[in-house]
Amino acid sequence: MTDDRLYVALSSGDLKLVPLAEEHREPLRKACAEDREIWQIYGNSYLGDAFDANFDRLVGNLDRRGYAIVENGVLVGMTAWLAYGEPGWSIEIGNTYYIPSKRGTGLNRRVKALMLDHAFACGLMRVVFKVDAVNARSRAAVLKLGCTEEGTMRRERVTWNGRVRDTVIFSVLADEWAG
């Protein structure tokens, strides 16, 4: 990613997406530990000894720009811009995690709307989401945003726990996004 206009703090009311920094390490570690089971269906684990290395990959990485998701002053999750496609044309949103109490509350829609509005305002034409085929909750969430399912990359990667993952690709184009 070369466009620094994209990776800026975003906010809407009580919701803030703050570029991930060292000050978020311990609050995010605590948030990630609230759901030990969910990491079985994530590509990387943010539990125990794995947390620090994965956190470090999000801080200061030009291809993976992480955000702390803060609601009412409390860190409730993370998300990121991920390099994808032609710079200035397409971007991926991923690496998203919410504490269990925030799932199903509409927070995901608010976070993704903030990011999508901003991406398209920056001139991007396409936003992509890559979702593990077994992650039914995330697949439903991106469809609710109005994304189109493009297909499945079969046996696309091996996750941190050795499971071979099929990855479903979704996208939304600038002229499709209703906000």
Side-chain angles (χ1 to χ4, degrees), residues 57-130:
R57 275 194 280 279
L58 282 177
V59 176
N61 184 333
L62 297 180
D63 289 331
R64 187 174 287 258
R65 305 272 186 103
Y67 283 108
I69 301 169
V70 179
E71 187 181 44
N72 292 316
V74 177
L75 190 146
V76 296
M78 66 179 163
T79 194
W81 298 117
L82 308 175
Y84 182 87
E86 186 69 26
W89 180 264
S90 182
I91 194 82
E92 179 184 350
I93 296 174
N95 215 104
T96 303
Y97 167 80
Y98 303 109
I99 61 173
S101 64
K102 293 299 176 182
R103 297 179 198 147
T105 66
L107 177 64
N108 182 64
R109 170 103 183 138
R110 292 178 61 209
V111 167
K112 296 307 188 319
L114 196 56
M115 294 179 81
L116 288 164
D117 286 345
H118 182 64
F120 295 133
C122 285
L124 291 168
M125 300 305 295
R126 172 182 165 86
V127 176
V128 171
F129 297 85
K130 294 180 184 176

Side-chain angles (χ1 to χ4, degrees), residues 3 18 38 45 63 68 81 87 131 143 150-151 154 174:
D3 190 350
V18 181
I38 200 163
S45 173
D63 289 331
W81 298 117
V131 181
L143 287 171
E150 295 183 344
R154 300 176 306 147

Side-chain angles (χ1 to χ4, degrees), residues 22-41:
E22 187 60 38
E23 69 193 63
H24 302 117
R25 183 182 298 267
E26 295 311 316
L28 186 58
R29 183 191 314 271
K30 182 180 176 197
C32 290
E34 286 192 32
D35 187 348
R36 302 187 70 75
E37 295 302 314
I38 200 163
W39 301 107
Q40 295 302 313
I41 61 169

